[in-house]
Amino acid sequence: MEQRNIFLDDVRPSPDDHILVTTAEDCILMLQENKPVSHLSLDHDLGSNNKNGFEVVLYLLENKQFPERITIHSANAPAGKKMYNHLLDAKEAGILPTHVKVLHRPLPLRFSQVSTK
């Protein structure tokens, strides 16, 4: 089965090889399709009245649904670090499998096609 890459962000464009989703709710809906995800790249801030990227992190851990690689690309330093540390804590606790790569690579709000590999 073909794997896919998902890029959650409401401002930045996604890399060409990623599916762009702009809300946490839509990202969770895609994950609920149970199609394999190779890479999941998450922003935190998704508009003032919307759920944020941390909700997706909680969904992954609660449902034990893990892509091969998770990148936190939020420019919101405290929130991005919180998401990243929550995933690392889950890995240390044995919730997140050790083979899942977790990366923290903040992206500026304005960037032109940056590879997230």
Side-chain angles (χ1 to χ4, degrees):
M1 183 178 273
E2 186 175 324
Q3 294 196 344
R4 58 190 176 167
N5 302 314
I6 301 171
F7 190 85
L8 171 64
D9 204 302
D10 65 328
V11 176
R12 299 171 191 88
S14 70
D16 290 338
D17 61 345
H18 284 64
I19 299 166
L20 176 65
V21 290
T22 58
T23 68
E25 294 87 349
D26 285 345
C27 186
I28 289 169
L29 285 173
M30 285 196 78
L31 294 167
Q32 288 174 340
E33 293 174 0
N34 288 320
K35 293 181 181 175
V37 176
S38 178
H39 182 225
L40 178 62
S41 191
L42 301 172
D43 187 19
H44 181 273
D45 301 341
L46 302 169
S48 61
N49 295 325
N50 297 325
K51 290 185 177 185
N52 57 49
F54 191 70
E55 298 289 334
V56 178
V57 169
L58 294 176
Y59 172 84
L60 293 171
L61 298 174
E62 288 170 9
N63 292 278
K64 300 192 183 338
Q65 188 175 355
F66 308 114
E68 294 174 13
R69 184 168 40 112
I70 303 168
T71 301
I72 307 302
H73 70 255
S74 181
N76 178 334
K81 197 73 158 165
K82 176 183 173 183
M83 293 167 66
Y84 177 71
N85 286 333
H86 199 73
L87 290 166
L88 292 183
D89 290 346
K91 191 179 262 196
E92 193 171 301
I95 299 166
L96 183 68
T98 57
H99 73 273
V100 175
K101 293 179 185 169
V102 179
L103 307 166
H104 186 226
R105 295 195 173 144
L107 293 175
L109 288 177
R110 296 176 193 215
F111 80 104
S112 57
Q113 208 59 265
V114 175
S115 173
T116 56
K117 289 186 179 183

